[in-house]
Amino acid sequence: MSLFAAYSICTVAKDAAGIAGNIFAFGLFVSPIPTFRRVIRNGSTEMFSGLPYVYSLINCLICMWYGTPLISPDNLLVTTVNSIGAVFQFVYIVIFMMYAEKTKKMRMLGLLLAVLGIFAIILGGSLQISDNVTRRLFVGSLSCASLISMFASPLFIIKLVIQTKSVEFMPFHLSLSTFLMSTSFCLYGLLNEDPFIYGPNGIGTILGIVQLILYFYYENKSREDSSEHLVVSYA
């Protein structure tokens, strides 16, 4: 096999992994829609928190900026997925503020302005760095830290599942989508030789596997307990 053929196969595989990652990420982006349908229907945010959408927005903005040609070459699929994600998170935040109480609304507005301000500082600051390698290192480090913090957030859910021995708070489709998205972008980063992509997504893949193992373990355990209760009741 010639070097050109090997390079072509690697490029196709990388693009396929990136496209798959975009598709799986889209599944995660639309997952809050039922929550916001309920918010709109009830005319209230109830006990829902808007913080996850604020964190997701800053994460998407930083990663979107990292994927642009000004920061890193040949990472267009990173830009596309995070651009779409940023739009979704912004819309969710706007809807949340429309139906939130005044105190929550003002707090969310403050957080939104803070996020946009931080991103503007990162964008402007990185453009002041003339050396391309240093600029990529700066934005890539922020992107990596942001992704790791996002992937670490399910640790609370994992702890809750272990404590309650219930998967009620860890929907299967979200755990599966997270695993598939992380795995796809981990492969994409490896094929693109980009540690700022495969590093955090590798961590996300491991956490995704942990979530899926816990889900099947406690789901099967719940079924076994239910069967035992039925036998006892019948006896």
Side-chain angles (χ1 to χ4, degrees):
M1 183 183 292
S2 66
L3 287 175
F4 177 76
Y7 175 78
S8 298
I9 292 172
C10 183
T11 302
V12 171
K14 182 196 73 175
D15 290 342
I19 292 170
N22 273 249
I23 293 171
F24 296 132
F26 186 79
L28 289 174
F29 295 150
V30 300
S31 62
I33 288 179
T35 297
F36 283 93
R37 280 181 178 170
R38 175 176 169 178
V39 167
I40 294 170
R41 185 174 63 250
N42 296 341
S44 170
T45 56
E46 301 174 17
M47 298 300 292
F48 293 118
S49 172
L51 289 178
Y53 312 108
V54 174
Y55 295 146
S56 295
L57 177 61
I58 187 64
N59 173 66
C60 287
L61 289 173
I62 295 173
C63 293
M64 176 191 71
W65 180 231
Y66 175 74
T68 59
L70 285 170
I71 305 300
S72 61
D74 200 22
N75 267 328
L76 179 62
L77 290 170
V78 173
T79 301
T80 57
V81 67
N82 285 289
S83 298
I84 295 169
V87 171
F88 269 99
Q89 305 313 317
F90 184 79
V91 171
Y92 292 147
I93 291 170
V94 170
I95 295 174
F96 188 92
M97 288 193 296
M98 286 172 60
Y99 292 95
E101 298 172 358
K102 187 175 180 179
T103 51
K104 280 187 178 180
K105 188 177 298 185
M106 296 307 296
R107 185 164 64 246
M108 284 296 293
L109 179 60
L111 289 170
L112 177 59
L113 292 175
V115 164
L116 296 177
I118 291 169
F119 178 64
I121 292 170
I122 293 171
L123 191 150
S126 59
L127 289 176
Q128 296 301 312
I129 303 173
S130 57
D131 182 62
N132 292 336
V133 175
T134 305
R135 185 193 306 140
R136 182 174 184 175
L137 179 63
F138 171 67
V139 180
S141 298
L142 292 175
S143 171
C144 191
S146 177
L147 277 171
I148 290 174
S149 66
M150 286 297 297
F151 286 131
S153 59
L155 290 173
F156 172 75
I157 302 298
I158 291 174
K159 180 181 177 182
L160 189 63
V161 168
I162 294 173
Q163 287 178 338
T164 62
K165 296 181 172 53
S166 170
V167 293
E168 179 185 357
F169 304 102
M170 191 174 70
F172 174 73
H173 69 280
L174 289 182
S175 298
L176 181 62
S177 295
T178 300
F179 166 71
L180 293 173
M181 182 198 71
S182 302
T183 303
S184 298
F185 274 112
C186 181
L187 180 60
Y188 175 88
L190 286 169
L191 293 171
N192 208 27
E193 299 180 350
D194 192 330
F196 294 120
I197 296 177
Y198 69 69
N201 281 287
I203 295 173
T205 300
I206 294 170
L207 289 174
I209 292 172
V210 171
Q211 288 183 64
L212 291 173
I213 290 173
L214 286 174
Y215 181 90
F216 286 116
Y217 175 77
Y218 286 110
E219 178 70 9
N220 291 333
K221 193 172 180 62
S222 297
R223 288 179 182 175
E224 289 173 3
D225 290 343
S226 298
S227 299
E228 287 177 4
H229 290 153
L230 285 173
V231 170
V232 171
S233 300
Y234 180 75

